[in-house]
Amino acid sequence: MSFFDSNLLRSGEYHDWLVQGFTTSLQLLGASFVIALPLGVAIALMRTSNSRLLKAIGAGLVEGIRNVPLLAHLLFWYFAFPELLPETVKLALYDSNPEFICAVIALSLYAGVHMAEDIRSGIRAVPSAQMEAARSLGLGRIASLRLVLLPQAIRIAVPPLLSQTVNLWKDTSVATVIGAAEMMYQAARVETATFRSVEAFTFATLAYLTVSLVISLAAQLYARRFPVRT
């Protein structure tokens, strides 16, 4: 094999690293969002509950998670949390993909509490008469929340939730500190192997920018299509 052919093969390999990093970043975004959104709904319902205990638990979760840097969350879930698990569970975690799993846990919790505040604002924006009307029609509290309050609250909260999704997408880059093979990790890997820092980090920058702009555009289109009426 000639030197030229070898360089071509290596260039293809480095390209594959970047594409794999981009794919992993998208997977981190998708998995974290799927967990963070229902978690945010649950915490928002706790914080708007009539129960003092549930309110206190919800407030404790929000304040305890959002006031700690994401980097600290990642390091805790990757280094400290596995040590608290039974040996068999810890070995199973290490045999799967601990970097990805721990990154998803940290990102989901961090995004979830921020989404909870957006959803709570949406719940507060729904007139109380809506719940009263639902109860007068014979619906229980759970049914009224599920069928009347939450659909309206989530619709109101969609624009800020999409903004939180942009933040979540950008936050996936922090997972590089625990060795998750996402985009920044792979870009640094290519830069170390080739010293072609301009190409590697330009690819990562444009990828983050493109996905962020797509999500932001979706938020703008939604706001125009479904304006919030008060």
Side-chain angles (χ1 to χ4, degrees), residues 59-219:
L61 287 171
V62 171
E63 299 303 326
I65 293 175
R66 74 176 179 178
N67 288 311
V68 175
L70 176 58
L71 177 59
H73 281 290
L74 283 163
L75 295 177
F76 170 82
W77 288 104
Y78 184 66
F79 290 107
F81 174 70
E83 300 302 319
L84 303 175
L85 297 174
E87 192 65 24
T88 54
V89 178
K90 182 168 69 172
L91 291 175
L93 173 64
Y94 287 146
D95 287 340
S96 49
N97 188 346
E99 294 82 9
F100 185 89
I101 294 172
C102 294
V104 168
I105 294 173
L107 290 167
S108 300
L109 291 174
Y110 199 73
V113 297
H114 287 86
M115 290 181 177
E117 293 300 277
D118 293 330
I119 296 169
R120 183 164 72 109
S121 297
I123 290 174
R124 288 181 167 180
V126 178
S128 59
Q130 295 285 335
M131 280 292 287
E132 295 171 3
R135 298 300 296 272
S136 67
L137 291 173
L139 294 176
R141 177 170 174 79
I142 301 296
S144 299
L145 288 172
R146 182 171 59 87
L147 299 174
V148 178
L149 183 64
L150 275 180
Q152 297 182 71
I154 296 234
R155 177 175 174 179
I156 294 170
V158 164
L161 286 176
L162 287 172
S163 295
Q164 290 296 344
T165 305
V166 173
N167 292 334
L168 175 59
W169 165 242
K170 293 184 290 186
D171 286 343
T172 60
S173 62
V174 186
T176 190
V177 299
I178 61 172
E182 45 71 61
M183 194 154 44
M184 288 304 299
Y185 178 91
Q186 297 289 20
R189 185 183 176 195
V190 170
E191 193 276 336
T192 300
T194 66
F195 299 103
R196 297 171 66 176
S197 54
V198 174
E199 293 91 334
F201 291 111
T202 297
F203 175 91
T205 300
L206 292 178
Y208 283 118
L209 177 63
T210 301
V211 175
S212 296
L213 290 177
V214 168
I215 299 173
S216 299
L217 178 60

